[in-house]
Amino acid sequence: AQSVTQLGSHVSVSEGALVLLRCNYSSSVPPYLFWYVQYPNQGLQLLLKYTTGATLVKGINGFEAEFKKSETSFHLTKPSAHMSDAAEYFCAVSGGATNKLIFGTGTLLAIQP
Amino acid sequence: GAVVSQHPSWVICKSGTSVKIECRSLDFQATTMFWYRQFPKQSLMLMATSNEGSKATYEQGVEKDKFLINHASLTLSTLTVTSAHPEDSSFYICSASLDRIGYGYTFGSGTRLTVV
């Protein structure tokens, strides 16, 4: 079975500050890891994903994440927060016999001016 | 890029009626589609996995007779909420898998269902 834990249901940072959203996973098979962003009443937009290869993954809007197998983590970072980054962020995992995508509980990111 | 269209984006229905939500892959063939339910300020809960030409696989605790899923073609999956009740009010999102091994998924824009 696979699962995802997102630490911190709410994160608030100042505009221009570093954004760090934490994600830890559990998987009995090599995981595929994803970060999605969701704006109110909308679907999900893929920020980035890790499948194989380079462990540091760069995504859209200046976000990046690093796959650390030893720590079973896939934290999302952005060097400088922008007001438009305010949204809900979901970490997800897939892999194994089925290709189901399992989500974490989400982190609501607020940006303070 | 891969686009999934979900319709309607919002619907209000009376208690006891049925509502159908459509999910279409516009520019690719989706052998597998997924249906999620999202409660306010919560995560996405996988309801079922839909494979073209076969019966859907429901997650534990999801009533298959209430949430009817049909995947009649490689580009269309539908979710019908039968005999809807206020507790079925939620945000429903579909997703299409771009491959069989979990490399990529594309999501619809979601449907806000309100049962009155």
Side-chain angles (χ1 to χ4, degrees), chain A residues 4 6 23 32-36 90-94 101-104:
Chain A
V4 172
Q6 289 184 243
C23 172
Y32 304 139
L33 296 160
F34 306 80
W35 275 100
Y36 287 90
F90 292 97
C91 183
V93 63
S94 74
L101 190 61
I102 305 300
F103 285 88

Side-chain angles (χ1 to χ4, degrees), chain A residues 32 34 36 38 41-44 49 51-52 90 94-95 99-106, chain B residues 34 36 38 42-44 46 49 59 91 93 97 99-103 105 107-109 112:
Chain A
Y32 304 139
F34 306 80
Y36 287 90
Q38 184 181 34
N41 292 312
Q42 294 187 28
L44 276 70
K49 66 180 179 183
T51 53
T52 58
F90 292 97
S94 74
N99 56 356
K100 293 192 294 187
L101 190 61
I102 305 300
F103 285 88
T105 51
Chain B
F34 305 89
Y36 293 85
Q38 186 179 30
Q42 294 189 32
S43 188
L44 284 78
L46 180 64
T49 302
E59 295 298 303
F91 193 58
I93 305 176
S97 175
D99 55 70
R100 291 190 177 277
I101 55 175
Y103 271 10
Y105 306 83
F107 286 80
S109 55
R112 172 73 59 193

